[in-house]
Amino acid sequence: ISSDGYILTNEHVIDAADEVKVTVSGYDNAFPAKVVGTDKELDLAILKIDAPKPLPTAKLGNSDATRVGEWVVAIGNPYGLDHTVTVGVVSAKGRPVPVQDRIYKNLLQTDAAINPGNSGGPLLNLNGEVIGINTAVNAAGQGLGFAIPINTAKEVMDSLRTQGKVVRPWLGVSVLDITADIQQYFKLPDRRGAIIGEIISGSPAAKANLQVGDVIRKVDDEVIEDAEDLVDTIQKKKIGDSVGLEIYRDGRTLLRLVKIEEKP
């Protein structure tokens, strides 16, 4: 992704590796690579190699502008078969796909063949621009390939490069959507908001004396519809922000001030 040797790949490709080496076309020997930054949640990693001269780079495109039905090309090393190229179309956008302990929230789906070994390789549009990072998550599927949108990577690349991680704002709670049963059990006026299922010890929520069973209905006067809405709203806050929460507890509406911290 840069001529001075920065490389973007999947976190699961280099996870638990004792050493990482990168082969570059035109060089006989592989380069030792330093892992500069990783993020398990997004499954992204940045590596750095030092070459004697500037390296060719891939042009990064705009995955938001990609449309379903567009032709795409995937490149990778499926099952060790290097420089394999497959072709297909974008089948869908914004796919949530849970895989073991990781939940991919916003994947591009393509019918270009993507298999184990493709991970970390580019998904390109017909202009040769990278619009995704191939991520093999369903080896059993036929015509089901997935890629992390390049715009997702663009948002965190600087943070990975300079800090070695992605800095995220954190409230320190696990939350659930309010089902009809939960609404009835807690005698809630409606199903709007997110109910706290767990509070992490020492977290901002714990320091603000939030409790399991509290329903967070507003964040700084912004109405919260469900658990995902709460998570997205907190993600937009900055570390150190003081945030006002309107919560519903035991039939009463309470206000709590919480200071957002960095997610450990």
Side-chain angles (χ1 to χ4, degrees), residues 11 47 79 91 121 188 227 242 245:
E11 187 269 346
L47 313 178
Y79 299 107
S91 307
L188 304 176
S242 290
L245 302 181

Side-chain angles (χ1 to χ4, degrees), residues 171-203:
L171 198 57
V173 295
S174 64
V175 287
L176 305 164
D177 289 338
I178 297 169
T179 63
D181 288 343
I182 289 175
Q183 181 186 1
Q184 185 177 4
Y185 182 83
F186 286 96
K187 297 182 174 61
L188 304 176
D190 52 48
R191 291 170 61 180
R192 181 173 286 166
I195 189 164
I196 297 176
E198 181 187 8
I199 296 177
I200 310 300
S201 176
S203 68

Side-chain angles (χ1 to χ4, degrees), residues 4 60 71 93 115 145-146 164 199 224 250:
D4 56 347
L60 304 185
W71 287 94
K93 297 173 68 175
N115 292 289
F146 295 97
I199 296 177
I224 300 301
D250 298 330

Side-chain angles (χ1 to χ4, degrees), residues 12-246:
H12 78 257
V13 170
I14 53 89
D15 181 40
D18 294 317
E19 60 176 347
V20 180
K21 292 183 177 180
V22 174
T23 58
V24 179
S25 182
Y27 292 91
D28 293 332
N29 298 319
F31 291 94
K34 178 185 177 185
V35 178
V36 174
T38 62
D39 186 72
K40 183 176 178 66
E41 199 168 309
L42 291 175
D43 193 14
L44 295 173
I46 298 259
L47 313 178
K48 175 72 167 67
I49 62 172
D50 293 314
K53 58 184 180 181
L55 296 161
T57 59
K59 184 178 180 182
L60 304 185
N62 178 7
S63 52
D64 289 347
T66 300
R67 295 186 298 175
V68 172
E70 283 188 11
W71 287 94
V72 286
V73 177
I75 304 176
N77 304 302
Y79 299 107
L81 301 169
D82 62 348
H83 301 102
T84 293
V85 176
T86 54
V87 177
V89 296
V90 175
S91 307
K93 297 173 68 175
R95 290 289 201 217
V97 181
V99 181
Q100 296 174 342
D101 60 345
R102 201 189 318 255
I103 298 176
Y104 297 91
K105 290 184 177 178
N106 180 31
L107 296 183
L108 295 172
Q109 181 185 328
T110 175
D111 63 352
I114 294 177
N115 292 289
N118 272 106
S119 290
L123 185 70
L124 306 147
N125 62 20
L126 294 191
N127 293 323
E129 299 168 333
V130 180
I131 58 163
I133 301 113
N134 300 329
T135 305
V137 295
N138 190 351
Q142 296 294 315
L144 282 175
F146 295 97
I148 299 167
I150 197 63
N151 286 21
T152 298
K154 283 180 180 178
E155 290 172 5
V156 300
M157 281 197 304
D158 283 344
S159 183
L160 285 173
R161 210 185 280 193
T162 58
Q163 301 185 56
K165 61 182 180 179
V166 177
V167 176
R168 288 188 175 87
W170 189 56
L171 198 57
V173 295
S174 64
V175 287
L176 305 164
D177 289 338
I178 297 169
T179 63
D181 288 343
I182 289 175
Q183 181 186 1
Q184 185 177 4
Y185 182 83
F186 286 96
K187 297 182 174 61
L188 304 176
D190 52 48
R191 291 170 61 180
R192 181 173 286 166
I195 189 164
I196 297 176
E198 181 187 8
I199 296 177
I200 310 300
S201 176
S203 68
K207 293 172 185 174
N209 296 317
L210 297 185
Q211 298 177 10
V212 172
D214 284 351
V215 178
I216 301 175
R217 292 174 63 82
K218 285 185 181 180
V219 175
D220 286 342
D221 294 329
E222 188 173 335
V223 174
I224 300 301
E225 296 294 337
D226 53 27
E228 186 177 357
D229 190 20
L230 175 67
V231 172
D232 291 343
T233 302
I234 295 298
Q235 289 298 307
K236 294 172 187 172
K237 302 298 180 183
K238 293 184 174 65
I239 311 300
D241 280 357
S242 290
V243 174
L245 302 181
E246 180 183 300

